[in-house]
Amino acid sequence: MRSGAVVRTLALATAFAAFSGSALAAVRTDRPAIAFVPLDDRPVTYQLPIMLGEIAGQPLRTPPRAAIGNYLTPGDPDAILRWLRDDDADGVSALVASSDMLAYGGLVAARIPGVPVERAMQRLRDLADVRSARAIPYVGVFGTIMRLAPTGVPRLGLATSYYAAGQTVDDLQAYANLPDPPATDAERARATHLRALIGEPTLDAYLHTRARNLDVDQWALQLAAEGGFDRIVIGQDDAGTVGLHLRDLAALRAFAGRWLSPERASIEPGADELGMILTGAALAHTAHLVPRIRVRYSRPGA
């Protein structure tokens, strides 16, 4: 996660805690918990949202630790869905969930082939069904648009059979960063050269994964439009101003703009901080608070 994103996330959390003041400062053990499904097990995605709940006096209830996975070992979406159906997740005031964790097993797992699109979509449908079965008052879902580079791993240990590792990751990133489609002879020649270095099977797997994730993100937006989720945020994971992701962004923005209001759906930068942001939104919703935020930039170009 970039340092700027960390600063922004911590600033948002601090601002929320300061804003809430006496309304949330007193810790109440009788306050209903919020069920929280993290993006993965890193501190910024797992621990900080829990700490934000502690600041607000509203506990976060998370899935069993083993179901969240770790790095190249994906989480267990089906175990998490069983947990959500359990009595342990009953009576919560809100649910905040990562669609990447529930569809694929986390952020790293979302960048690799393996989970069929139909299975990923069914899991998100199951999440929407949990909402109605449990009569959960507020459900916020956050997902990501796949970043341009696969997860950078050496071909060692768990990554020995990884579909893209070592130099192939750099070559895929270079290919994905080209204009889509390449606009000049030099760009077209560069694309041809990179395709040869990567190999068609690996490139096809990468492009298929991107296409699958786009379909699943659109499905999540559709479920929100149908009332399965109250709020959905889809963040663009690491990417620049040029590349394969621009088509994905355009398609998702068009879909969201047609079927959902800006208050219910947004497509924006970010990935790791989205769990914190939607946890803050759930806390504000359950406390009937509407934060007022003012942005000050450190320099005109910011």
Side-chain angles (χ1 to χ4, degrees):
M1 181 177 182
R2 295 190 181 98
S3 59
V6 174
V7 171
R8 179 174 60 169
T9 299
L10 293 177
L12 282 168
T14 303
F16 179 84
F19 163 81
S20 60
S22 59
L24 293 177
V27 176
R28 291 175 46 188
T29 57
D30 63 337
R31 192 184 296 276
I34 292 174
F36 178 68
V37 178
L39 178 62
D40 51 35
D41 70 334
R42 289 170 297 150
V44 70
T45 55
Y46 180 47
Q47 295 174 15
L48 291 188
I50 294 173
M51 293 169 68
L52 180 57
E54 292 172 350
I55 290 172
Q58 185 118 11
L60 265 64
R61 199 178 296 171
T62 58
R65 182 63 186 76
I68 297 173
N70 173 258
Y71 190 36
L72 298 183
T73 301
D76 187 340
D78 299 318
I80 294 173
L81 285 165
R82 287 194 297 272
W83 171 78
L84 285 171
R85 297 187 192 102
D86 241 10
D87 290 341
D88 288 343
D90 202 12
V92 296
S93 62
L95 166 62
V96 175
S98 161
S99 61
D100 292 302
M101 175 59 76
L102 285 167
Y104 315 111
L107 183 63
V108 172
R111 298 173 184 157
I112 62 174
V115 176
V117 65
E118 297 84 4
R119 186 71 186 113
M121 288 180 173
Q122 183 58 54
R123 286 167 171 166
L124 295 189
R125 169 60 75 186
D126 291 345
L127 174 64
D129 291 343
V130 166
R131 189 263 174 87
S132 51
R134 292 289 182 196
I136 300 174
Y138 179 88
V139 176
V141 171
F142 59 99
T144 63
I145 302 168
M146 183 174 150
R147 75 179 192 178
L148 293 179
T151 300
V153 290
R155 204 170 289 283
L156 299 169
L158 291 175
T160 301
S161 59
Y162 217 56
Y163 94 101
Q167 181 60 41
T168 304
V169 173
D170 296 334
D171 293 337
L172 278 169
Q173 181 174 9
Y175 181 86
N177 272 284
L178 288 170
D180 178 33
T184 67
D185 289 342
E187 290 168 354
R188 286 188 283 271
R190 175 70 170 155
T192 299
H193 177 65
L194 288 168
R195 281 197 298 268
L197 291 175
I198 296 164
E200 290 300 328
T202 300
L203 182 58
D204 287 347
Y206 171 82
L207 295 175
H208 180 269
T209 302
R210 292 201 67 87
R212 176 201 65 185
N213 289 14
L214 174 59
D215 288 343
V216 172
D217 284 340
Q218 286 182 319
W219 175 242
L221 288 170
Q222 180 174 326
L223 289 172
E226 294 173 356
F229 316 133
D230 296 286
R231 183 78 171 90
I232 182 167
V233 177
I234 299 179
Q236 173 61 65
D237 200 0
D238 297 334
T241 57
V242 176
L244 295 179
H245 64 297
L246 295 184
R247 288 192 188 189
D248 300 346
L249 279 167
L252 291 170
R253 284 174 174 152
F255 189 96
R258 182 176 181 183
W259 298 107
L260 289 154
S261 67
E263 293 78 20
R264 296 196 55 221
S266 57
I267 317 296
E268 58 189 55
D272 296 349
E273 65 269 41
L274 298 182
M276 283 276 284
I277 291 169
L278 275 188
T279 297
L283 291 167
H285 181 270
T286 57
H288 307 291
L289 298 172
V290 181
R292 304 177 76 176
I293 297 171
R294 177 170 177 255
V295 179
R296 294 187 63 186
Y297 291 97
S298 59
R299 60 189 186 279

